Amino acid sequence: MKQMIVHIEPKLTQMALLEEGKLVEFAAERSQGHSLVGSFYKGRVVNVLPGMQAAFVDIGQKKNAFLYVDDVLHPHLEKQPKDKPNIESLLRVGQEIVVQVMKEPLGGKGPRVTTHYSLPGRWIVYMPHADYVAVSKKVYREHDRNRLKVLGDSLRRSGEGVIMRTVSEDEHPDAIEGDLNALRERWISIQEKADACAAPCLLHRDLSIVQRFIRDVFDPEQDELWIDSRPEAREAELFLEEIAHGGHRPVRMHQGHEHIFRAHGVQEQLERDFARRVTLESGGTIVLDQTEALTVVDVNTAKYTGGGNLEETVTKTNLQAAEEIARLIRLRDIGGIIIVDFIDMEEEKNRQEVVNRLEAGMSRDRTKSHVVGWSKLGLLELTRKKVREDTAVMFSKSCEVCGGTGKINLLSAH
């Protein structure tokens, strides 16, 4: 069973997801900014850069959005030209286009946008121009994959694309068809608004953080939802009724003077799991350092000395670390390149077992990731799609004295 614990402040919403009491996801959203990812805009092309095969689009934000040539071509790879055309043949300055935000503004960069539109629903993801059917990779049985692919093909119209989500595996076809119809109507509404407004213009905003998590990871019949704000609890209740048609557990209102995160054991886990050094159950440690280019994770045996030989001790520590690293990456929403320096192991079967354990942990993550494998230096490389700013960055700032290095430069002039 999962628990969603939601804390509401006037300008901030924080959401913690617990699985069997253990913190696995944490997210926050500032009300005045609202997440841009998933939102649709009518924008105006302000610059076309042939050297970068990209364009900048004004969507009404502080920084212009970045649109790469691949995100202008047809979303179906088989329907793209063999030779990539020049961006100038696809876009011109002053042109008005509908775009969808796929990445939040990060650092000094503006948002990244695409014309490969997608609207996620409860059971499917609707892609109005993709012209193919795909099935979630987490549906493993071949006969289920084939059944869902046939169902998706029978429901979609010519030119439309559909991704059958994992939760659709055991769902009735009528519910899936209803989901598709609702998403199709939403797309028509977006198009009608685009025809009526001048760029830059917001056409459709994605769901709130609470609604997104209910849609994507919440089982209305089994999981618990706790909120410490009556208006937001009522709003969540109405959303659950809409998607579950009454077959859901009621939203629970947190009352009392104790903070909702402390009452449910979230605060203690947050403080431990967002530290630079995290201790494993065995006594080993994980040290996480994030830079602008990548995240480096170092694994140490620390206080764990084991009970058998060295290889056995090291492997046990690494296996525990692999499982914990997968959870921490998901929890902190770390994206980009990630390098893990596990403790050296001699036997290849042990190295493979660590990779398998990490991949199993990452498979529970909704964000796309890829375990690349061991480098020649014995480091394990992986990547994870970067969509939003890492959660840790949102709740921390660089030290004003050392600038975030953790060291003071004694060579600088006094």
Side-chain angles (χ1 to χ4, degrees):
M1 184 188 75
K2 296 190 289 291
Q3 288 180 307
M4 270 182 63
I5 315 298
V6 183
H7 170 56
I8 307 290
E9 295 179 16
K11 293 185 178 181
L12 180 69
T13 299
Q14 294 172 267
M15 196 288 310
L17 183 67
L18 302 173
E19 290 181 359
E20 306 300 333
K22 195 161 190 175
L23 185 63
V24 293
E25 287 195 42
F26 176 75
E29 190 169 83
R30 299 191 188 281
S31 57
Q32 69 268 29
H34 204 287
S35 175
L36 295 182
V37 173
S39 297
F40 287 78
Y41 289 85
K42 184 177 182 178
R44 181 180 292 106
V45 178
V46 294
N47 203 356
V48 179
L49 305 172
M52 293 179 64
Q53 280 286 66
F56 285 98
V57 183
D58 177 13
I59 61 172
Q61 297 295 311
K62 292 180 180 179
K63 290 185 177 290
N64 291 329
F66 181 82
L67 177 61
Y68 186 56
V69 65
D70 284 359
D71 293 309
V72 185
L73 300 175
H74 197 284
H76 196 322
L77 288 175
E78 293 180 5
K79 299 199 173 187
Q80 292 181 1
K82 290 183 179 179
D83 296 320
K84 199 175 294 185
N86 193 293
I87 189 74
E88 288 180 304
S89 67
L90 302 172
L91 298 171
R92 68 181 187 280
V93 174
Q95 181 179 346
E96 295 187 346
I97 56 171
V98 174
V99 294
Q100 184 178 19
V101 178
M102 58 189 295
K103 278 188 179 181
E104 291 275 6
L106 298 171
K109 300 177 181 177
R112 181 168 173 178
V113 295
T114 182
T115 62
H116 298 173
Y117 315 121
S118 63
L119 285 164
R122 177 70 175 160
W123 315 114
I124 66 167
V125 176
Y126 174 65
M127 303 171 293
H129 299 149
D131 198 22
Y132 67 88
V133 175
V135 179
S136 166
K137 292 180 180 178
K138 294 182 181 179
V139 178
Y140 299 112
R141 292 174 296 193
E142 195 60 34
H143 70 276
D144 284 332
R145 297 185 61 83
N146 293 335
R147 175 178 56 82
L148 289 173
K149 197 170 191 308
V150 169
L151 175 61
D153 254 326
S154 68
L155 294 177
R156 75 182 180 104
R157 296 171 183 169
S158 177
E160 292 180 333
V162 173
I163 298 175
M164 310 298 286
R165 302 184 66 186
T166 310
V167 287
S168 68
E169 187 173 0
D170 300 316
E171 191 52 44
H172 195 278
D174 289 348
I176 296 173
E177 184 176 13
D179 203 20
L180 174 58
N181 289 335
L183 295 171
R184 190 181 282 138
E185 289 175 11
R186 191 175 301 165
W187 171 242
I188 292 171
S189 173
I190 290 170
Q191 289 178 299
E192 289 174 347
K193 189 169 181 181
D195 291 337
C197 75
C201 171
L202 173 65
L203 304 175
H204 168 75
R205 195 187 295 281
D206 197 16
L207 300 174
S208 69
I209 185 173
V210 176
Q211 291 170 331
R212 288 200 309 271
F213 271 82
I214 290 174
R215 179 192 67 196
D216 295 340
V217 301
F218 196 75
D219 184 337
E221 295 183 357
Q222 297 184 29
D223 298 340
E224 286 185 356
L225 174 56
W226 287 84
I227 303 182
D228 60 1
S229 164
R230 195 169 298 279
E232 276 73 12
R234 179 58 184 156
E235 186 178 313
E237 185 77 39
L238 291 172
F239 185 70
L240 276 167
E241 288 175 5
E242 180 184 332
I243 68 169
H245 306 293
H248 67 275
R249 300 178 71 172
V251 176
R252 311 286 292 275
M253 256 296 298
H254 173 74
Q255 296 175 328
H257 298 294
E258 188 177 22
H259 193 289
I260 187 171
F261 279 179
R262 292 206 177 276
H264 291 271
V266 173
Q267 190 62 39
E268 183 183 349
Q269 294 188 60
L270 280 174
E271 291 170 3
R272 181 182 68 241
D273 293 339
F274 276 84
R276 178 174 177 262
R277 185 182 300 272
V278 177
T279 303
L280 302 171
E281 290 182 5
S282 65
T285 61
I286 299 171
V287 180
L288 294 95
D289 286 307
Q290 290 181 253
T291 71
E292 192 168 334
L294 50 80
T295 299
V296 179
V297 186
D298 186 34
V299 180
N300 301 294
T301 52
K303 295 180 180 179
Y304 180 60
T305 56
N309 59 45
L310 177 60
E311 181 76 4
E312 182 184 317
T313 300
V314 166
T315 302
K316 184 174 181 179
T317 303
N318 283 340
L319 288 172
Q320 276 192 4
E323 198 168 306
E324 189 71 349
I325 288 166
R327 184 181 72 89
L328 292 174
I329 289 172
R330 177 185 173 192
L331 174 62
R332 299 187 185 199
D333 200 15
I334 298 172
I337 301 170
I338 304 166
I339 306 295
V340 186
D341 185 8
F342 284 104
I343 309 164
D344 289 340
M345 294 168 286
E346 296 293 333
E347 298 182 24
E348 182 58 35
K349 68 178 182 68
N350 292 335
R351 289 158 57 88
Q352 188 57 48
E353 192 176 355
V354 168
V355 172
N356 295 342
R357 183 70 63 89
L358 183 64
E359 287 179 333
M362 298 300 292
S363 70
R364 294 190 282 271
D365 191 349
R366 290 176 296 120
T367 300
K368 185 177 180 181
S369 62
H370 174 56
V371 178
V372 179
W374 299 98
S375 73
K376 291 181 178 179
L377 294 175
L379 306 173
L380 191 62
E381 303 173 344
L382 61 146
T383 62
R384 185 173 182 267
K385 189 175 180 181
K386 196 176 186 75
V387 177
R388 296 179 175 86
E389 194 169 46
D390 296 350
T391 308
V393 174
M394 191 174 181
F395 290 93
S396 62
K397 66 176 183 178
S398 296
C399 170
E400 295 175 359
V401 177
C402 70
T405 64
K407 299 176 182 178
I408 298 174
N409 185 0
L410 299 178
L411 298 176
S412 59
H414 296 286

